[in-house]
Amino acid sequence: MSTQQFTQLPHKLLSVPGPVEVSDDVLLANAHPSMSHVSPAFAPVFGNCLRMLRQLLYTESGQPFIIAGSGTLGWDLVAANLIERDEKALVLNTGYFGDSFADCLETYGAKVTQVGAPVGGRPTVEQVEEALKKEQFKLLTFTHVDTSTGVLSDAKAIAETVRRVSPDTLIILDGVCSVASEEIRMDEWQIDAVVGASQKGISVPPGLSITALSQKALKVLESRKTPVASYFASYRRWLPIMESYEKGTPGYFATPSVNLIYALEASLKSIVAGPVSLEDRFRQHRDAAKRFRGEARQLGFETVATEDEACANGMTALYTPEGVAPPALIGALANRDITIAGGLHKDIKTKYIRFGHMGVSVVERPTDVTKVINALRESLAEVAPKSS
Amino acid sequence: MSTQQFTQLPHKLLSVPGPVEVSDDVLLANAHPSMSHVSPAFAPVFGNCLRMLRQLLYTESGQPFIIAGSGTLGWDLVAANLIERDEKALVLNTGYFGDSFADCLETYGAKVTQVGAPVGGRPTVEQVEEALKKEQFKLLTFTHVDTSTGVLSDAKAIAETVRRVSPDTLIILDGVCSVASEEIRMDEWQIDAVVGASQKGISVPPGLSITALSQKALKVLESRKTPVASYFASYRRWLPIMESYEKGTPGYFATPSVNLIYALEASLKSIVAGPVSLEDRFRQHRDAAKRFRGEARQLGFETVATEDEACANGMTALYTPEGVAPPALIGALANRDITIAGGLHKDIKTKYIRFGHMGVSVVERPTDVTKVINALRESLAEVAPKSS
């Protein structure tokens, strides 16, 4: 039994916006024999991951954190550490995940103002500027790619606006569905926190909360007037652990997800030190998304994102053509061994479908995207109402 | 390359009190091809895990929760959900993990009273009774096995005392280092919450917080006067997800650790439906611990736990003999490809070592324990001061 056959058992091609396909090397690393989290052999693996995350986020002074959890835990990390009860947060809303981040912030006592847009749209820079001028916000959050709508926010423009209009406001980029599929230049754009996860562009199985803080965010953490509002999600407790592992010395606060960190190391190596440069990686994602959208539109689908510049590059949400019910199409694709996702946004839930095209399926196996497009064409032909 | 060689790459035998050795089947499951967390194929796997956890904890009405995180997250789950600001908690302290649980409870605003004992001891039933009579506590916590001292609490006696003296007080069993290596009869003993993790007796890689609540605890959660003090660690948000997966229908709040849940299913199958009954499993752990202690004492080691009934069955903490420095002994064992752990309790940190003997290494490969004992004998002979 070869390595490849062994890890990649027959399975439906995963084309949802996370979890995504995982390479054999990474699955292999996830099957690493059990290791102590404080063993001298494991510490450098953890350290490598932290260093490679800095490369991926184009940051020198940013502090990455790898914590057992999911992307959602990153919201708690922000809400419990970077803002205090009754302080104000501005949430730019481009879908389900904006609502949820706002909900999380309110759980920890923040006063949330939201700037939204009709489904498929995104707040304009002018709207953001106007909101920032009305009140002083401790932090602003935006969903870089909202997994429910496939809407891409213009991270650079948002950050520029905040720095110009309200320089003290922390800029929080929710990158759960964008890290490693969209370019994020943390230092250049002056992003204060990136919230990510393992199972999207990074192409590792789910189970890791991956975040990074700027030095400015670390100072805000340090100078809190009230205690951090969580124990497990306390950046203060995790900071010395990350610093320690990066030096090659194990630290202990809570047991890290050892095997997933081996898997993360394997995947990050291929991302930041593989044959494809980071710049090319992001270009490949843009190209794949453009191709996918083009083909889908030719078939009669419309993107949920209302303009091309607001279409994510690692996923696409598509309204199905008139008379084509999403469940029928999802079923027809499943019969062709392809898994796609149904709707998530409450206002349009029954009218659209979602596809992932990120990570391994774009960079290492671009034929995955072709397979999905072909299967979509066949499935549509099968389930579309026949014109008489 | 055979399956076995493939997953169990050459590695040092892991004999720390978690993570523990993981079987090939479980590592294989952890390398499962990537799957959607909402796919029809994955939902029953999650559901099976929930049902098997009930069997493992001898409960019919208890509600298990499987959440991406570590054992420590379980403390936040208790502190953010089952007690409210300014309510009182009684923490029975048998080591490092009692201190930390108290710290976590205080983070969420609970008023904590601790009942401790000298290092290696445990509070007596009389002390517990006395504390419970002085004040009304919302909940009482105890560390079933404190990983820092190897002290086993008498869960049944503690629970009986609480039920008799203060029937409304919730009984919280921290079972991170005891679930699946010590018997826990949740229903019979009327335990209200069990806090566990994947990487100890359950013998899965780290990355899952595994907890269970009684119906009584669920009612307390339901009737809170103040909102749950966490977003990610909100049992209210997770409850419908667990109920949904158990019915075979995916739910979504935050992405579960799909691969680790495949691994959990594989391990729980061998635990609750394998050739060894649960009763025999716990007996094997008691026998292995007794053998290990006996051999170690013959070599001149003393257990940190001061009485035999207070010695854990899945791990042992040992004071090294006079003149034998723990780092030298740990190094000598590492040279024999065996990983053990150093001290963790601040008062005795430099004087003792810790061993794990649970899960796979006891039930499926009892020769592991023999190997460790033999290597300990050889290592001691190598590093002990020579008598002239």
Side-chain angles (χ1 to χ4, degrees):
Chain A
M1 194 186 255
S2 81
T3 297
Q4 186 136 9
Q5 289 169 315
F6 176 71
T7 54
Q8 292 281 358
L9 296 167
H11 71 292
K12 290 187 202 302
L13 178 64
L14 198 51
S15 179
V16 307
V20 303
E21 286 289 308
V22 173
S23 74
D24 287 326
D25 284 355
V26 175
L27 290 179
L28 256 174
N30 210 34
H32 194 288
S34 201
M35 297 288 288
S36 167
H37 53 301
V38 296
S39 74
F42 173 65
V45 175
F46 203 136
N48 285 342
C49 288
L50 294 169
R51 283 181 287 273
M52 291 192 286
L53 285 173
R54 272 203 198 89
Q55 289 180 258
L56 176 59
L57 298 173
Y58 295 94
T59 183
E60 283 181 13
S61 60
Q63 175 61 55
F65 293 83
I66 303 165
I67 303 176
S70 81
T72 300
L73 180 65
W75 298 339
D76 286 71
L77 285 162
V78 169
N81 290 274
L82 302 183
I83 189 164
E84 304 186 44
R85 187 161 287 278
D86 294 330
E87 288 183 336
K88 292 174 186 169
L90 181 63
V91 172
L92 309 189
N93 190 319
T94 49
Y96 176 93
F97 291 90
D99 289 337
S100 305
F101 203 160
D103 204 356
C104 177
L105 286 160
E106 283 170 350
T107 298
Y108 289 92
K111 301 290 179 203
V112 175
T113 301
Q114 292 205 45
V115 178
V119 176
R122 53 187 192 181
T124 63
V125 164
E126 291 70 33
Q127 284 176 295
V128 176
E129 179 159 353
E130 194 189 352
L132 288 170
K133 280 178 174 164
K134 270 195 204 140
E135 296 173 271
Q136 180 60 35
F137 293 99
K138 179 68 168 281
L139 55 82
L140 167 146
T141 77
F142 66 97
T143 318
H144 196 187
V145 169
D146 197 294
T147 318
S148 72
T149 55
V151 169
L152 171 71
S153 294
D154 186 343
K156 191 179 174 188
I158 291 169
E160 274 173 3
T161 308
V162 181
R163 283 291 161 259
R164 179 167 48 79
V165 181
S166 182
D168 288 343
T169 300
L170 294 176
I171 303 171
I172 316 295
L173 182 156
D174 177 347
V176 169
C177 196
S178 75
V179 170
S181 63
E182 308 282 353
E183 192 179 58
I184 300 171
R185 293 188 175 267
M186 200 176 163
D187 284 1
E188 188 186 322
W189 302 346
Q190 300 184 52
I191 306 292
D192 293 305
V194 173
V195 171
S198 50
Q199 80 279 10
K200 309 262 185 173
I202 292 178
S203 303
V204 163
L208 296 176
S209 154
I210 294 174
T211 61
L213 295 187
S214 70
Q215 287 299 317
K216 181 174 165 182
L218 287 170
K219 280 200 194 81
V220 166
L221 172 65
E222 210 178 291
S223 59
R224 283 180 69 91
K225 294 181 292 291
T226 58
V228 171
S230 173
Y231 184 78
F232 185 72
S234 165
Y235 272 132
R236 283 191 185 156
R237 295 182 189 271
W238 284 111
L239 180 60
I241 309 305
M242 299 301 137
E243 289 172 342
S244 185
Y245 272 111
E246 194 159 353
K247 285 182 199 131
T249 313
Y252 179 68
F253 165 55
T255 307
S257 301
V258 176
N259 284 45
L260 280 169
I261 290 173
Y262 275 103
L264 179 63
E265 189 197 33
S267 196
L268 286 174
K269 272 185 183 165
S270 82
I271 292 173
V272 306
V276 177
S277 72
L278 270 183
E279 286 69 20
D280 281 341
R281 176 184 182 84
F282 296 126
R283 188 176 309 120
Q284 287 177 357
H285 278 83
R286 287 193 295 272
D287 291 348
K290 200 173 164 186
R291 178 160 72 101
F292 187 85
R293 284 198 300 276
E295 299 266 9
R297 283 173 180 154
Q298 283 206 331
L299 294 173
F301 292 89
E302 265 180 60
T303 59
V304 171
T306 46
E307 11 161 24
D308 259 28
E309 309 82 71
C311 282
N313 296 303
M315 68 163 292
T316 300
L318 294 173
Y319 288 113
T320 52
E322 187 71 31
V324 176
L329 203 54
I330 293 169
L333 280 153
N335 289 340
R336 287 166 176 82
D337 282 334
I338 289 177
T339 303
I340 69 161
L344 182 58
H345 192 296
K346 63 183 184 326
D347 295 348
I348 55 172
K349 202 164 179 174
T350 59
K351 298 178 184 165
Y352 79 116
I353 50 182
R354 296 176 302 139
F355 294 83
H357 35 77
M358 60 184 129
V360 170
S361 285
V362 167
V363 178
E364 294 176 34
R365 301 192 319 225
T367 50
D368 282 3
V369 180
T370 311
K371 272 187 210 163
V372 173
I373 291 169
N374 291 341
L376 180 60
R377 186 179 300 112
E378 290 172 23
S379 300
L380 181 68
E382 184 182 307
V383 306
K386 305 287 179 276
S387 52
S388 54
Chain B
M1 194 185 254
S2 81
T3 296
Q4 187 136 5
Q5 288 168 314
F6 176 74
T7 53
Q8 292 279 1
L9 298 165
H11 71 292
K12 291 189 201 302
L13 178 65
L14 197 51
S15 179
V16 306
V20 302
E21 286 288 307
V22 173
S23 74
D24 286 327
D25 284 354
V26 176
L27 290 179
L28 256 174
N30 210 33
H32 194 286
S34 200
M35 297 290 287
S36 167
H37 52 301
V38 295
S39 75
F42 173 65
V45 175
F46 202 136
N48 285 343
C49 288
L50 294 168
R51 282 180 287 272
M52 289 190 288
L53 285 172
R54 271 203 201 90
Q55 287 181 260
L56 176 59
L57 297 172
Y58 295 94
T59 180
E60 283 182 14
S61 61
Q63 175 61 55
F65 294 82
I66 304 165
I67 303 175
S70 80
T72 300
L73 179 66
W75 297 339
D76 286 71
L77 285 162
V78 168
N81 291 275
L82 301 183
I83 189 165
E84 304 186 44
R85 187 161 287 281
D86 295 329
E87 289 183 335
K88 293 174 186 168
L90 181 63
V91 172
L92 309 189
N93 191 320
T94 48
Y96 176 93
F97 291 90
D99 289 336
S100 304
F101 203 160
D103 205 355
C104 178
L105 286 159
E106 283 170 349
T107 298
Y108 289 91
K111 303 288 178 205
V112 175
T113 302
Q114 292 204 47
V115 178
V119 177
R122 54 185 191 181
T124 62
V125 164
E126 291 70 32
Q127 284 175 294
V128 176
E129 179 160 352
E130 194 189 352
L132 287 170
K133 281 179 175 164
K134 269 195 206 143
E135 295 174 275
Q136 179 61 34
F137 294 99
K138 180 68 169 279
L139 55 81
L140 166 146
T141 77
F142 65 97
T143 318
H144 197 187
V145 169
D146 197 295
T147 318
S148 72
T149 54
V151 169
L152 171 71
S153 293
D154 186 342
K156 191 180 174 187
I158 292 169
E160 274 172 2
T161 308
V162 180
R163 284 291 161 260
R164 179 169 47 80
V165 182
S166 181
D168 288 342
T169 300
L170 293 176
I171 303 171
I172 316 294
L173 181 155
D174 178 349
V176 169
C177 196
S178 74
V179 171
S181 63
E182 307 282 352
E183 191 177 58
I184 301 173
R185 293 188 174 266
M186 199 174 163
D187 284 0
E188 189 186 322
W189 301 346
Q190 299 184 53
I191 305 293
D192 293 304
V194 174
V195 170
S198 49
Q199 79 280 10
K200 309 261 183 172
I202 291 178
S203 303
V204 164
L208 296 176
S209 152
I210 294 172
T211 61
L213 296 186
S214 70
Q215 288 299 318
K216 181 174 166 181
L218 286 171
K219 282 200 192 81
V220 166
L221 171 65
E222 210 179 291
S223 58
R224 283 180 70 90
K225 293 181 292 288
T226 58
V228 171
S230 173
Y231 183 78
F232 185 72
S234 165
Y235 272 132
R236 281 190 186 159
R237 295 183 189 272
W238 284 112
L239 180 60
I241 309 304
M242 299 302 137
E243 289 173 339
S244 186
Y245 272 110
E246 192 159 354
K247 285 183 199 130
T249 313
Y252 178 68
F253 165 55
T255 307
S257 300
V258 177
N259 284 46
L260 279 169
I261 290 173
Y262 275 103
L264 179 64
E265 190 197 32
S267 196
L268 285 174
K269 272 184 183 166
S270 82
I271 293 173
V272 306
V276 176
S277 72
L278 271 182
E279 286 68 22
D280 281 342
R281 176 184 182 84
F282 296 126
R283 189 175 308 119
Q284 286 177 357
H285 278 84
R286 287 192 297 271
D287 291 349
K290 200 173 164 186
R291 176 159 73 100
F292 186 85
R293 284 198 300 275
E295 299 267 8
R297 282 171 180 155
Q298 282 205 333
L299 294 173
F301 293 88
E302 264 181 58
T303 59
V304 172
T306 45
E307 13 161 21
D308 259 28
E309 309 82 73
C311 282
N313 295 303
M315 66 164 291
T316 301
L318 294 174
Y319 288 113
T320 51
E322 188 72 31
V324 176
L329 203 54
I330 293 169
L333 280 153
N335 290 340
R336 287 166 177 80
D337 282 333
I338 288 176
T339 302
I340 69 160
L344 181 59
H345 193 293
K346 62 185 187 322
D347 296 347
I348 54 172
K349 203 164 178 172
T350 59
K351 299 179 185 165
Y352 78 116
I353 51 182
R354 295 176 302 140
F355 294 83
H357 35 77
M358 59 184 129
V360 170
S361 285
V362 167
V363 179
E364 294 176 33
R365 303 191 319 224
T367 50
D368 282 1
V369 180
T370 311
K371 273 187 208 164
V372 173
I373 290 168
N374 291 341
L376 180 61
R377 187 179 298 111
E378 290 172 25
S379 300
L380 182 68
E382 184 183 306
V383 306
K386 305 284 179 279
S387 51
S388 54

